[in-house]
Amino acid sequence: SISLLQSRQNPHNRPAQMARLNLFWALGACIGPFFVLKGAASYGPSTVLFSVAVVFALLGLVSLVLLPLAKAPPAASFRATFSKGSAPLLLLCLVPLAVGIESSTGSWLATYSTRALHDLHMTITTVTCFWAGMLLSRAIQSYRSMASISAKWILRLQPAWILAGLLLILIAPASLWSLLGAAMLGIGAGPMYPLLIALFLNFGEGGNIVFVLGGVGAAFFPWLTGLVSTW
């Protein structure tokens, strides 16, 4: 809903706005584990989880009071949005892949780092390097000039960058090189989903199917990664 609100208010700056939203999401994912680790060590996991739940509940109540309700234009149906064939089928395939890579990589890196006999702090650092890479790439993409320049290159070059980071982790799993590989994975994956959201919403709000497709990728790919990893 926040993505749709920002899209309506900034139609001429949509790629940078989507990157900015996902930038803050990556920031929370980057710093959150360290707070949870410290808090669980001092107060216990259940206390930390309860505190997080209370914070989210309070934020929800505050948002009801402070956030203005945007007047929604009539949303185009999925059929109307794509009836002219203007949204390539490739986009429909890329969205679950992009989100699936994000969601499965974070959990897989933690498991892989543990199997490489890293201690807990090294494991969390590896995952945090992944989110820090996403944070960096989305920070760059959140500038309007960079978003417009880089848009046509991201979907072409970032998959190769992701592959390079993955190979570095596989070649040197028990060394500091794995941290660089995790950061490269984050840098490669970071710009893709915000850009895909912006591209879909360019076709109208019938393009909010992008969020459904993203949810499919987030649910399916971690499960598939677990199956393959266990095998």
Side-chain angles (χ1 to χ4, degrees), residues 7 50 56 73 123-124 126 138 182 205 207 215:
S7 175
F50 178 75
F56 269 100
T123 297
I124 291 180
T126 302
R138 287 174 177 173
E205 290 195 12

Side-chain angles (χ1 to χ4, degrees), residues 112-181:
Y112 190 72
S113 182
T114 301
R115 289 175 180 174
L117 304 180
H118 291 165
D119 60 20
L120 180 60
H121 287 278
M122 183 65 175
T123 297
I124 291 180
T125 301
T126 302
V127 179
T128 302
C129 283
F130 169 71
W131 287 109
M134 297 190 73
L135 189 67
L136 175 62
S137 61
R138 287 174 177 173
I140 295 173
Q141 190 187 13
S142 65
Y143 287 95
R144 183 172 183 175
S145 58
M146 291 302 300
S148 60
I149 293 172
S150 63
K152 65 180 181 180
W153 298 105
I154 287 175
L155 298 182
R156 293 185 175 96
L157 300 180
Q158 297 303 89
W161 188 264
I162 292 172
L163 180 60
L166 178 61
L167 290 175
L168 188 57
I169 292 174
L170 294 176
I171 292 170
S175 70
L176 294 179
W177 287 105
S178 63
L179 300 182
L180 176 60

Side-chain angles (χ1 to χ4, degrees), residues 15-31 102 131-143 190-191 193-194:
Q17 288 296 325
M18 296 302 102
R20 200 164 297 160
L21 283 178
N22 284 269
L23 164 69
F24 283 99
W25 173 52
L27 178 63
C30 188
I31 66 177
E102 285 185 24
W131 287 109
M134 297 190 73
L135 189 67
L136 175 62
S137 61
R138 287 174 177 173
I140 295 173
Q141 190 187 13
S142 65
Y143 287 95
Y193 183 54

